Amino acid sequence: MASAAPAPAAPAADIPALKTYFAANFKIGMAADPSGYKNAIANPVILRHANSITGENCFKPASLGVSPGVYNWATADELAAFGAANGLGVRGHTLCWHSQTPDWFFTGTAAEVRARLETYISDVVTHFKGKVYCWDVVNECTSDDASSPYRNSKWFQLLGPDYIEIALRAARAADPDVKLFINDYGTEDPAKFSRLMTIVSALQARGAPLDGIGHQLHVSTTSPTAANVDNALRSVAAKGLINHVTELDISLYNDPGSCFASKTGCAADITGDATLLSAALKAQALQYRALFNVFKQHPSLQSVTTWGIADNSTWLSGFPTTRGNRPLLFDVAGQAKPAARAITDDAFVP
Ligand code: XIL
């Protein structure tokens, strides 16, 4: 006889289900690939707390786009079926990005690159029609410096600023109903956000089909201020657009720019030091509470996704450097952290 499968970890029952607690405000999403949500720690957490899921990698061009016209649908289809079976709406992420995109997208003349992008988007959006509720059509198109509103990406170099409108129109032509987003990090930085708004204004002036802005919100315990997030959400709504928070996590570390540029000067790992870790988790809980208090004030904010399910698996263990990190609402065992209590109980003192 085959040995019994190990019992799944008990769901964290000590806080309300987040999807219920925030039902009047926004969907609660979590990012994972099938290997992540099938993990015994993470699985009970996502099933209990989330009503939205984003494929952490499996919907990206590097996963789907094998070669021109050849697709690897299996993993993304598995995720879409998991979502449909468990009441989780699926956020599509992402169609046009400079990263995690095979080199074959970028070869040939501008006309060939454009046609290939249009075909790819048309095929992928058609394949998932009715199965995803929105697409991050273009990811990270905003410049990190003041030289231009537009990131100097391979897409920009090959097609100029038009690539964003080309991508949006191709997505809309393939599915008239799915919500179309531009998604970016750093929208909490007023200067970068204003460059993104310049891009958005140009798109709107041309009548490009854009429904919303995704705010990644990869942030830390000390930055940003709630006011900066509040201002960004308000400005997007003022343009008639939907807001989504798409990749929220709160790093325990406040690294200098050099850590992101060259992995130098990164803060030291504190996950082995009980005293420092406890203090950081308190600061993190207060930052999560401050951000959710802003989120709740914005009817235009329809979905809030954390970039991961629980601290047992987070991309921040490898970015911007290899180091322990605990950026999510649930701990390495899948139990509710002080941050999860802080956003569901105003009286809780972390
Ligand atoms: C990250 C994934 O979490 C990692 O597993 C992968 O190795 C690299 O990409 N902004 C995005 C996401 O839009 O797609 C990125 O996801 C994190 C930063």
Side-chain angles (χ1 to χ4, degrees):
M1 202 176 93
S3 58
D14 48 352
I15 61 161
L18 295 177
K19 64 186 173 191
T20 309
Y21 187 83
F22 292 108
N25 301 105
F26 32 72
K27 289 186 200 295
I28 293 291
M30 297 176 178
D33 292 312
S35 58
Y37 66 68
K38 289 196 280 195
N39 168 275
I41 290 167
N43 190 258
V45 177
I46 191 169
L47 290 177
R48 173 166 159 79
H49 291 288
N51 51 8
S52 178
I53 182 169
T54 305
E56 187 172 355
N57 293 290
C58 62
F59 285 73
K60 292 173 179 174
S63 301
L64 295 180
V66 177
S67 57
V70 179
Y71 298 94
N72 169 25
W73 304 118
T75 311
D77 280 349
E78 181 183 352
L79 184 144
F82 171 79
N86 292 289
L88 301 156
V90 179
R91 288 197 88 260
H93 173 85
T94 177
L95 295 168
C96 177
W97 191 20
H98 57 272
S99 182
Q100 291 184 279
T101 301
D103 290 342
W104 60 258
F105 275 87
F106 304 111
T107 59
T109 66
E112 287 165 346
V113 170
R114 175 184 176 150
R116 211 182 288 116
L117 176 65
E118 289 174 324
T119 301
Y120 175 81
I121 291 177
S122 177
D123 288 352
V124 173
V125 172
T126 299
H127 182 86
F128 292 106
K129 197 170 176 178
K131 296 178 179 169
V132 306
Y133 68 95
C134 63
W135 274 106
D136 291 332
V137 178
V138 177
N139 200 33
E140 301 181 348
C141 60
T142 315
S143 174
D144 282 330
D145 63 53
S147 59
S148 163
Y150 298 92
R151 173 185 284 269
N152 187 21
S153 70
K154 281 184 266 186
W155 290 115
F156 183 82
Q157 289 164 16
L158 286 162
L159 300 179
D162 291 351
Y163 83 90
I164 302 170
E165 183 177 351
I166 289 167
L168 289 166
R169 289 197 187 279
R172 177 55 74 237
D175 186 341
D177 299 319
V178 72
K179 299 293 183 203
L180 304 180
F181 281 71
I182 290 174
N183 186 51
D184 217 326
Y185 67 89
T187 65
E188 66 278 7
D189 167 41
K192 179 160 179 177
F193 178 72
S194 118
R195 291 191 285 275
L196 172 57
M197 288 299 96
T198 299
I199 296 173
V200 167
S201 296
L203 289 166
Q204 290 187 321
R206 295 176 56 82
L210 176 68
D211 297 303
I213 296 298
H215 307 262
Q216 292 187 7
L217 283 184
H218 294 293
V219 299
S220 79
T221 55
T222 59
S223 172
T225 63
N228 281 0
V229 176
D230 192 42
N231 286 334
L233 295 173
R234 187 177 305 107
S235 299
V236 166
K239 290 203 171 285
L241 299 173
I242 303 164
N243 282 295
H244 283 183
V245 170
T246 54
E247 305 185 15
L248 177 62
D249 49 22
I250 301 184
S251 171
L252 302 181
Y253 307 108
N254 303 295
D255 293 308
S258 65
C259 179
F260 294 87
S262 59
K263 297 186 193 256
T264 54
C266 303
D269 192 332
I270 61 165
T271 55
D273 183 317
T275 307
L276 291 177
L277 179 60
S278 163
L281 293 176
K282 285 182 189 174
Q284 179 186 61
L286 295 173
Q287 179 73 310
Y288 263 109
R289 175 183 276 161
L291 293 178
F292 271 79
N293 281 341
V294 170
F295 298 164
K296 287 188 283 187
Q297 289 163 26
H298 289 271
S300 62
L301 179 55
Q302 299 185 358
S303 182
V304 174
T305 294
T306 58
W307 202 248
I309 300 172
D311 285 342
N312 65 307
S313 178
T314 163
W315 77 301
L316 293 182
S317 56
F319 180 89
T321 191
T322 303
R323 174 180 60 190
N325 209 334
R326 304 278 189 272
L328 298 165
L329 292 166
F330 298 89
D331 70 15
V332 292
Q335 299 302 309
K337 291 167 61 182
R341 292 170 209 277
I343 63 171
T344 51
D345 179 0
D346 290 340
F348 172 69
V349 180

